Amino acid sequence: MKYFMHDEIKISLKLESKIKKYFENNNTIMTKVTIKNKEYKAVVDIDSFLLPTNFDCFNCLTNCCVQFPYEFNEKARKIILENLKEYDQLTKAVSILKEEGLTEVEIVDSIRNDDMLIPKDHVEKTFDRCTCSCVHVDRNLCALHKICIDKGLELEEIIDTKPFWCSIYPLEIISDNDETLYIFVPTKKNEYLAMNDSNFPCMDIKMSSSPYFRRENPIGFKEEEYKPFIISYYSILKYVLGDYFINDIAEKLDLTEIKNKEIQYNKKI
């Protein structure tokens, strides 16, 4: 078994046994998904898709929780290079690398070719998370996402531009022999199976209503705005994983009337 979205990181035999035992003893459905034009069988932890969530990232005051996303495609690199001045204004990534002794030619070459848009020896050393993470006015955002919105890109175009992991985070996908995928939303019940974490206010109503969080982040994450994950991410899951997948889950959970264009994903900031 491997973590499908995490650079194909292998899973220990001990954890693999726990994963299979968990899926054997919990409410699941068999379905199929299509990812990047390839079809897979999928075993889905159906109850986890009811986790109350509120991914109001544009009203978050904490740094991006996704960290380094492993993969940037050519569309992402092209948009960053075409908007290099704004990218630097938002992230300071170009300016920081210049202070570290790199020329602009070297920085542009790194954005074109390096996995994380920066030379490997600056990953974790100069930058502790994705270089697209930025502060805009009074909140933290993804600079790439913001530039896409400012350019008028639709939800589907933004998903195709951003790294795959970022688009569907925090969903976890585990691959078994490149044929079957085990899919679940990290929750307190299954989080020990995941590389992703459920210990965030956007996935934990109790945390969002705590006095500490309300003092740190008073502008977003209202309790009444929390929705089941399947509703919060409906349009994204439908586009990324396919109609068959989303229809099977919606039918199993008796949520067949869902229609969510995910306005929050591509609203103006």
Side-chain angles (χ1 to χ4, degrees):
M1 281 186 161
K2 298 177 182 179
Y3 285 109
F4 185 78
M5 295 179 294
H6 306 286
D7 207 23
E8 294 290 318
I9 294 174
K10 290 185 178 180
I11 292 170
S12 69
L13 291 176
K14 184 177 180 180
L15 182 54
E16 182 175 326
S17 176
K18 288 182 177 179
I19 291 167
K20 289 185 176 179
K21 185 176 180 180
Y22 175 84
F23 275 83
E24 286 170 1
N25 291 288
N26 283 276
N27 188 20
T28 62
I29 62 168
M30 289 291 299
T31 183
K32 63 182 179 182
V33 299
T34 303
I35 301 175
K36 298 180 179 178
N37 298 318
K38 182 176 179 180
E39 188 175 289
Y40 301 86
K41 293 185 294 184
V43 186
V44 183
D45 174 12
I46 194 73
D47 291 339
S48 69
F49 280 75
L50 292 174
L51 178 73
T53 55
N54 180 13
F55 297 109
D56 192 0
C57 296
F58 300 147
N59 275 326
C60 190
L61 300 185
T62 56
N63 217 328
C64 184
C65 48
V66 177
Q67 300 181 354
F68 287 103
Y70 300 104
E71 177 186 341
F72 286 89
N73 61 35
E74 291 305 314
K75 290 182 179 180
R77 297 172 192 274
K78 184 173 184 290
I79 282 184
I80 289 171
L81 289 172
E82 289 175 349
N83 299 275
L84 195 60
K85 184 176 180 180
E86 182 181 0
Y87 172 74
D88 187 45
Q89 288 173 341
L90 290 166
T91 67
K92 306 296 186 291
V94 176
S95 300
I96 289 170
L97 288 174
K98 284 182 178 178
E99 290 175 8
E100 292 291 309
L102 276 73
T103 66
E104 184 156 329
V105 171
E106 291 172 321
I107 294 167
V108 167
D109 183 65
S110 184
I111 293 171
R112 284 200 179 107
N113 299 298
D114 287 328
D115 290 344
M116 302 301 155
L117 310 178
I118 56 175
K120 286 184 179 179
D121 56 348
H122 288 276
V123 176
E124 301 288 1
K125 180 183 175 183
T126 308
F127 299 89
D128 65 350
R129 61 188 61 242
C130 176
T131 54
C132 290
S133 177
C134 70
V135 177
H136 176 63
V137 188
D138 61 348
R139 59 207 71 185
N140 287 268
L141 304 170
C142 168
L144 178 57
H145 196 140
K146 182 184 185 304
I147 292 169
C148 287
I149 290 171
D150 291 344
K151 295 295 178 184
L153 272 64
E154 294 296 323
L155 178 144
E156 294 81 4
E157 296 174 297
I158 298 173
I159 292 172
D160 285 342
T161 301
K162 290 179 68 176
F164 179 65
W165 181 24
C166 300
S167 292
I168 61 174
Y169 183 89
L171 193 71
E172 188 66 272
I173 302 177
I174 293 171
S175 170
D176 188 10
N177 297 323
D178 296 323
E179 294 180 358
T180 301
L181 302 181
Y182 290 82
I183 301 176
F184 60 98
V185 181
T187 67
K188 292 188 183 300
K189 185 177 178 181
N190 65 31
E191 64 183 4
Y192 64 91
L193 306 178
M195 282 195 70
N196 295 338
D197 194 353
S198 64
N199 192 33
F200 298 110
C202 52
M203 301 175 68
D204 189 331
I205 291 179
K206 288 183 179 179
M207 287 182 68
S208 72
S209 60
S210 70
Y212 173 79
F213 183 73
R214 291 202 306 271
R215 280 176 59 84
E216 291 294 310
N217 201 338
I219 61 174
F221 302 96
K222 296 180 177 66
E223 186 169 340
E224 63 271 18
E225 293 176 355
Y226 279 73
K227 305 171 187 175
F229 182 85
I230 181 64
I231 296 177
S232 296
Y233 258 37
Y234 180 80
S235 297
I236 296 170
L237 295 172
K238 180 180 173 69
Y239 182 69
V240 174
L241 300 178
D243 290 345
Y244 198 98
F245 172 84
I246 201 70
N247 291 339
D248 270 3
I249 293 182
E251 182 178 353
K252 178 68 175 180
L253 296 175
D254 195 24
L255 297 169
T256 52
E257 297 302 315
I258 302 173
K259 289 183 181 179
N260 179 11
K261 188 57 180 173
E262 200 57 37
I263 295 171
Q264 187 269 330
Y265 195 84
N266 59 341
K267 70 180 180 182
K268 286 285 185 180
I269 304 168

